[in-house]
Amino acid sequence: MKFFVDTADIKEIKELNDLGLLDGVTTNPSLILKSGGKIAEVTKQICDIVEGPVSAEVTATEYSEMMKEAKVLAKIADNVCIKVPLTFDGLKACKAIRSEGRMVNVTLCFSANQALLAAKAGASFISPFIGRIDDIGIDGMELISEIRTIYDNYDFKTEILAASIRTVNHVKQAALIGADVVTVPPATLKALVKHPLTDKGLEQFLADWAKTGQKIG
Ligand code: G3P
């Protein structure tokens, strides 16, 4: 499973990339707002750090305007993946951008039928929003499961990018179901390494090691 980080925070991206954990980055207009920077500059900075796909989202809602924005975003770097919303205009833009050989991430997916349409439009990635489905009292993971089955039934190549990930458990469940990618906020990504028994065990080993009086090397 690929790990993307869901942020436009350059410091966090650098840190996680240095750990060798990043396969890509996703951003959206809310994350750009949070970064305080301009979309073109922030996206360029991210693309200079991370080799994998960096999703940058169009903000137009009409097809030809989306295409204009996609051209601007695509010029930033070769690894920019154009993010479009799951609307008919977005799907039309997806097909057109894909025919030019550029990666497309279709976002704001909340149903299996929407995911089916995105695959038909040739999307590189489909982004089902797990946390936001959980927020309305429905199990978001069920959607990942349904999309996995549908894509496997027809051998669609669109990668399932589990988004709106809020907990470490979401990451585990997405991996068990077979999502191709998870995009995770930095704090949740870092929390994956934590286990109290790891801390306790390490403490014990270090204490015993100190008693041996030895040194390695
Ligand atoms: O990238 C979009 C997605 O991950 C948003 O997450 O937490 O705002 O629902 P959230």
Side-chain angles (χ1 to χ4, degrees):
M1 184 169 64
K2 293 174 200 162
F3 274 14
F4 288 3
V5 67
D6 198 26
T7 187
D9 183 321
I10 302 297
K11 205 171 143 254
E12 294 276 20
I13 293 169
K14 235 185 213 138
E15 190 188 329
L16 289 163
N17 192 60
D18 286 349
L19 287 174
L21 286 177
L22 279 198
D23 298 301
V25 177
T26 51
T27 68
N28 61 39
S30 307
L31 293 171
I32 294 294
L33 171 69
K34 210 168 154 195
S35 78
K38 292 214 184 319
I39 186 167
E41 286 158 24
V42 174
T43 307
K44 172 84 179 89
Q45 278 177 291
I46 300 172
C47 290
D48 285 345
I49 300 167
V50 179
E51 275 181 31
V54 174
S55 288
E57 191 162 340
V58 298
T59 55
T61 53
E62 188 272 324
Y63 168 73
S64 54
E65 290 304 312
M66 278 183 191
M67 292 304 290
K68 275 188 209 156
E69 290 187 359
K71 266 197 181 71
V72 174
L73 295 173
K75 274 197 192 122
I76 296 171
D78 287 344
N79 56 332
V80 167
C81 170
I82 308 295
K83 210 171 178 186
V84 298
L86 217 157
T87 59
F88 277 125
D89 286 72
L91 292 170
K92 196 173 159 190
C94 172
K95 189 139 209 172
I97 299 163
R98 289 294 292 133
S99 73
E100 291 164 6
R102 173 70 57 171
M103 292 178 287
V104 177
N105 176 358
V106 178
T107 190
L108 289 166
C109 171
F110 294 94
S111 80
N113 282 332
Q114 288 181 323
L116 183 55
L117 289 174
K120 296 283 289 176
S124 318
F125 301 99
I126 181 69
S127 289
F129 276 28
I130 305 312
R132 292 192 196 185
I133 298 175
D134 286 354
D135 286 346
I136 60 161
I138 298 168
D139 181 9
M141 278 300 154
E142 193 51 40
L143 176 58
I144 300 288
S145 207
E146 288 176 356
I147 301 172
R148 180 74 283 154
T149 302
I150 291 169
Y151 282 11
D152 289 349
N153 281 348
Y154 298 98
D155 202 22
F156 283 123
K157 299 295 176 224
T158 300
E159 293 187 54
I160 303 173
L161 194 169
S164 186
I165 293 282
R166 307 269 175 80
T167 67
V168 291
N169 208 32
H170 276 157
V171 177
K172 182 177 84 175
Q173 287 175 301
L176 283 169
I177 292 166
D180 301 286
V181 191
V182 272
T183 189
V184 189
T188 312
L189 199 48
K190 287 180 194 168
L192 293 177
V193 80
K194 293 203 179 98
H195 197 290
L197 291 180
T198 304
D199 296 341
K200 197 177 164 209
L202 184 59
E203 205 178 300
Q204 181 71 59
F205 284 158
L206 294 180
D208 288 345
W209 182 247
K211 286 180 204 157
T212 69
Q214 297 179 41
K215 265 194 177 151
I216 298 173

